[in-house]
Amino acid sequence: MKKTLLIIACFISSFSFSQLPPNSLGLDFTVTDIEGETHNLYEILDEGKTVILDLFAVWCGPCWSFAETGVLEDLQAQYPDEVVCIAIEADPSTAESEIYGGGNSVGDWTTIIDYTMADDPSGDIADDYALAYYPTIYKICPDRMVTEVGQLGSVNAFYNEINSCSQATYSKDMRMIQFNGVNAHCNGTANPSVMVQNYSLNSDVTGFNIRTLQGNETLNLTSWTGNLSTYQIATVELDQITGLS
């Protein structure tokens, strides 16, 4: 019998509360699960599947309580062609062996988690995904965008989140994901870069122009050539921008 879900979290520290903002870019990662199989995030997303990422710690009681509900097992079983659930032990200070119990572990996690589970000994995923407390549960959509969904209590609730993922609609579409540079210039020159994404539906992009405007005046035009499949991302160094006033 599945247990009733009680939403509780283990905080990493009293000064760490900042999770990723909704619809942030999810950085790619590769993990090897406890069965020895390798999983790459972007490869899964490129199959059109949404990833539910459960970041937990073996010593975290609320993580154990959430896992005991079995909601992610049920989600994975009901929608295998649409979702991949991945549980990652994200505390680098604990050994992978503690997934099976012992040490500070609450118990043998293999007895309550029956979907993909892996250890991240480096702590890189926790850093890249701004982990502030356990468990943190993210939805990563096929377009690479990440939103924290939390400890939802039913398969339907998670599936509604999956269905709310944004997706490419137009045949020729690009979008800017991130601007890297000083946000304000009074005078002089600037050397920013931008991160862009191919948001075209089933269409590769082999070239585009980025125009920098001040009012209606064009200050700079940077051309890019290459190849981006749908949802792929590139960082473009803009040509030096002059004439700022």
Side-chain angles (χ1 to χ4, degrees):
M1 183 175 67
K2 302 293 174 63
K3 294 188 176 181
T4 301
L5 179 63
L6 178 63
I7 299 177
I8 306 176
C10 296
F11 287 93
I12 295 174
S13 80
S14 58
F15 302 102
S16 180
F17 297 96
S18 179
Q19 300 292 86
L20 289 179
N23 288 315
S24 296
L25 173 66
L27 298 182
D28 195 16
F29 62 80
T30 299
V31 293
T32 301
D33 67 25
I34 60 174
E35 303 296 333
E37 295 188 21
T38 300
H39 306 268
N40 176 260
L41 175 64
Y42 280 10
E43 288 180 1
I44 296 170
L45 300 180
D46 286 343
E47 294 174 358
K49 297 178 180 179
T50 298
V51 169
I52 300 298
L53 181 63
D54 175 10
L55 300 178
F56 76 100
V58 293
W59 45 262
C60 170
C63 302
W64 181 272
S65 297
F66 175 73
E68 280 188 307
T69 67
V71 64
L72 293 186
E73 278 86 0
D74 291 343
L75 176 69
Q76 184 68 87
Q78 291 184 39
Y79 301 101
D81 297 328
E82 298 177 60
V83 63
V84 173
C85 298
I86 302 177
I88 294 180
E89 209 294 327
D91 182 359
S93 69
T94 57
E96 180 179 356
S97 60
E98 293 186 23
I99 288 175
Y100 301 91
N104 292 322
S105 183
V106 177
D108 183 349
W109 291 81
T110 65
T111 65
I112 58 170
I113 291 181
D114 192 25
Y115 51 93
T116 300
M117 181 164 46
D119 180 57
D120 178 27
S122 68
D124 289 344
I125 296 174
D127 291 340
D128 289 343
Y129 282 77
L131 182 63
Y133 49 81
Y134 301 104
T136 290
I137 300 166
Y138 283 122
K139 169 188 69 174
I140 311 177
C141 295
D143 67 355
R144 318 289 204 251
M145 296 299 109
V146 178
T147 298
E148 184 184 0
V149 295
Q151 302 174 57
L152 301 179
S154 69
V155 169
N156 284 341
F158 275 105
Y159 193 63
N160 287 339
E161 285 289 343
I162 292 167
N163 282 334
S164 71
C165 283
S166 57
Q167 58 185 345
T169 304
Y170 303 104
S171 60
K172 295 181 180 180
D173 196 10
M174 295 290 294
R175 67 177 181 177
M176 187 171 75
I177 299 295
Q178 183 175 303
F179 171 83
N180 304 304
V182 178
N183 290 326
H185 281 274
C186 294
N187 290 290
T189 62
N191 297 89
S193 66
V194 292
M195 184 181 292
V196 296
Q197 182 180 43
N198 176 11
Y199 218 67
S200 307
L201 181 63
N202 300 323
S203 178
D204 290 357
V205 168
T206 57
F208 53 85
N209 296 320
I210 300 176
R211 188 183 304 272
T212 304
L213 301 173
Q214 181 173 267
N216 293 321
E217 180 185 358
T218 298
L219 299 181
N220 172 274
L221 184 67
T222 300
S223 297
W224 180 93
T225 58
N227 190 279
L228 293 177
S229 300
T230 300
Y231 301 142
Q232 282 193 324
I233 291 166
T235 297
V236 181
E237 301 288 339
L238 302 185
D239 296 336
Q240 187 177 73
I241 300 170
T242 60
L244 294 169
S245 60

